Every structure is written in C-alpha cells, then in structure tokens.
Amino acid sequence: MTTENCIFCKIISGEIPATLVAESTHAIAFNDIAPKQPVHVLVVPREHHSNVAELAFENPEALIDLVQLGSRVASELSTGSFRFTFNTGEAAGQTVFHAHGHITSRTPKN
Ligand code: 5GP
Ligand code: ZN
C-alpha cells in the first residue's frame, strides 16, 4: 500500500478526522474508531512503515518514541494495567498496513 491511499497517513495529514489523545515528535495517539475495550487508543508513527517490524529496522528512534508515547497515554488513561499490541501481518489480524500499536485496557482511570 502506498502512502497516498493509507488511512493513517490521511489521519496524520488531517485529511480524515480522528480524536487526538496525545502526540510526540515521531508519533500520534488517537482513539480507535471501533473500541474493543474501555480504553482503546492507537499509537501511530508519523512516517509510513508497513508494520512495527519494518519501523524497528528503518527508524528505531521513532519506535522508541512511539512506545514512550503509548506508555504515557496508558498511564494517563488506565490504572496502569494495559496491553500494547502490534498485529503484524494479515493472518495475525492486521488490517491497516501503516505500523500502529493498540493500547487497550479494561481498567480506565476514572
Ligand atoms: P489492526 O487490525 O490493523 O491491528 O488495527 C486497525 C485498527 O484501526 C482497528 O482497530 C480499527 O478499528 C481502526 N481503524 C480503522 N479505520 C480507522 C479510522 O478511520 N479511524 C480510527 N480512529 N480508527 C480506525
Ligand atoms: Zn501510512
């Protein structure tokens, strides 16, 4: 998939709206459109990479920044118990081929 028809690239450029939760130098965090847990935030690198493995090799600094952003969001929105999931590959459930981590938690802070 090219960056032109990538839904997360369009969210990053502002072409498609999303509920922004937090942002950092290399990543943004926004609410998942179809939340599966009381807390369900996507953490997405500003640069297009197909999945987290490619991001790790192509821009490790951006991956560290993304994990720090996700951890910050998780500690702000949850009691501190959360999952940080990167579905990688179609057979593993990846549907959007722009790297992203899911922050999910059953225990929101409030
Ligand atoms: P994946 O299945 O690739 O790991 O996760 C993709 C996630 O992106 C899904 O949880 C899906 O609900 C979410 N998603 C897909 N399209 C949009 C969108 O346009 N806006 C937002 N906020 N989330 C989206
Ligand atoms: Zn993209």
Side-chain angles (χ1 to χ4, degrees), residues 30-42 102-105:
F30 52 88
N31 284 331
D32 196 291
I33 204 167
K36 293 184 177 69
Q37 300 272 314
V39 175
H40 192 165
V41 175
L42 300 175
H102 297 253
I103 295 285
T104 52
S105 176

Side-chain angles (χ1 to χ4, degrees), residues 7-8 11 30-34 42 87 93-96 100 102:
I7 193 132
F8 288 174
I11 287 174
F30 52 88
N31 284 331
D32 196 291
I33 204 167
L42 300 175
N87 296 328
Q94 187 177 2
T95 59
V96 176
H100 57 279
H102 297 253

Side-chain angles (χ1 to χ4, degrees), residues 1-10 12 44-49 96-99:
M1 185 184 274
T2 65
T3 54
E4 284 122 69
N5 56 18
C6 170
I7 193 132
F8 288 174
C9 282
K10 287 181 179 168
I12 288 154
V44 180
R46 295 183 191 274
E47 253 179 38
H48 183 95
H49 299 270
V96 176
F97 292 86
H98 179 132

Side-chain angles (χ1 to χ4, degrees), residues 81-85 102-106:
S81 294
F82 62 92
R83 285 185 177 169
F84 203 164
T85 314
H102 297 253
I103 295 285
T104 52
S105 176
R106 294 198 175 116

